[in-house]
Amino acid sequence: MEDYRRGVSATHRLTHTGDAPGVLRVRLQPCPVLIYNAVGSGDETLISMLTGAGFKVAFTAADTAWARALAQRVGALYLPSADGAVDLLRQRWRADNIVELEAGVEASGHHSADLSAVPSGHSVGRDASAPQAYALRAIAAIIDAASR
C-alpha cells in the first residue's frame, strides 16, 4: 500500500495470461514433419522447437556427423537419404499425412510447405535471432500445410 501511495509501480508486470510482456504461447496440434536438407542453426532451432513441442520430426542432411548429433540431442529421426522417406515414415509413425518442408526449394508432394514463399516482412520481435525468426516462419508454414 505504501508503494501505491508513493506512486511506485511494480518493476515487472505480467499480461492477463500470466506471461511476461513479449511472450507468446501458441498451442499446436503436433503432426509428423519431414524436413529435407537440414543445415545450419536455423534448421537446428526449428527441429529443437518442434521436438520440444511434441512433434514427430524426421530430417535429412548432408552433414552426417552434425545430423546424428542433433538427432540424439533433441530426439528427432535422422534419415541419411530422402529416397522413400515418406513411405517409411508413414509405416513407422502410422500417419496418413506428413508435412514436408524443404527450405528454399519448391516443395512437392502430399502436404508441403515452401519456406522461401513464407513472407519475411512479419516482425517477430527485437530479441529474436535469425535462427529463431527462421524457425518461427517455418512453424507458420507447418501450421498452414497441416490445416489444408
Side-chain angles (χ1 to χ4, degrees), residues 82-137:
D83 296 335
V86 173
D87 293 331
L88 173 79
L89 294 176
R90 280 187 177 155
Q91 290 176 344
R92 184 176 193 147
W93 291 339
R94 295 184 178 101
D96 293 331
N97 297 321
I98 296 176
V99 175
E100 300 174 66
L101 294 177
E102 186 165 356
V105 178
E106 187 64 35
S108 62
H110 311 70
H111 286 287
S112 61
D114 177 12
L115 295 187
S116 64
V118 177
S120 59
H122 298 292
S123 172
V124 293
R126 277 184 254 201
D127 295 337
S129 65
Q132 286 174 325
Y134 170 85
L136 291 172
R137 285 193 303 273

Side-chain angles (χ1 to χ4, degrees), residues 13-136:
R13 295 177 187 246
L14 299 179
T15 64
H16 72 280
T17 60
D19 295 322
V23 173
L24 174 66
R25 295 182 192 268
V26 179
R27 295 196 185 269
L28 302 172
Q29 180 64 37
C31 61
V33 178
L34 173 60
I35 300 171
Y36 295 104
N37 303 320
V39 62
S41 61
D43 289 319
E44 187 169 337
T45 301
L46 171 62
I47 293 167
S48 297
M49 290 173 81
L50 290 173
T51 56
F55 283 71
K56 292 180 180 177
V57 179
F59 65 97
T60 65
D63 186 350
T64 305
W66 172 80
R68 285 184 178 159
L70 175 61
Q72 286 180 337
R73 189 171 60 251
V74 301
L77 176 64
Y78 165 61
L79 301 172
S81 173
D83 296 335
V86 173
D87 293 331
L88 173 79
L89 294 176
R90 280 187 177 155
Q91 290 176 344
R92 184 176 193 147
W93 291 339
R94 295 184 178 101
D96 293 331
N97 297 321
I98 296 176
V99 175
E100 300 174 66
L101 294 177
E102 186 165 356
V105 178
E106 187 64 35
S108 62
H110 311 70
H111 286 287
S112 61
D114 177 12
L115 295 187
S116 64
V118 177
S120 59
H122 298 292
S123 172
V124 293
R126 277 184 254 201
D127 295 337
S129 65
Q132 286 174 325
Y134 170 85
L136 291 172

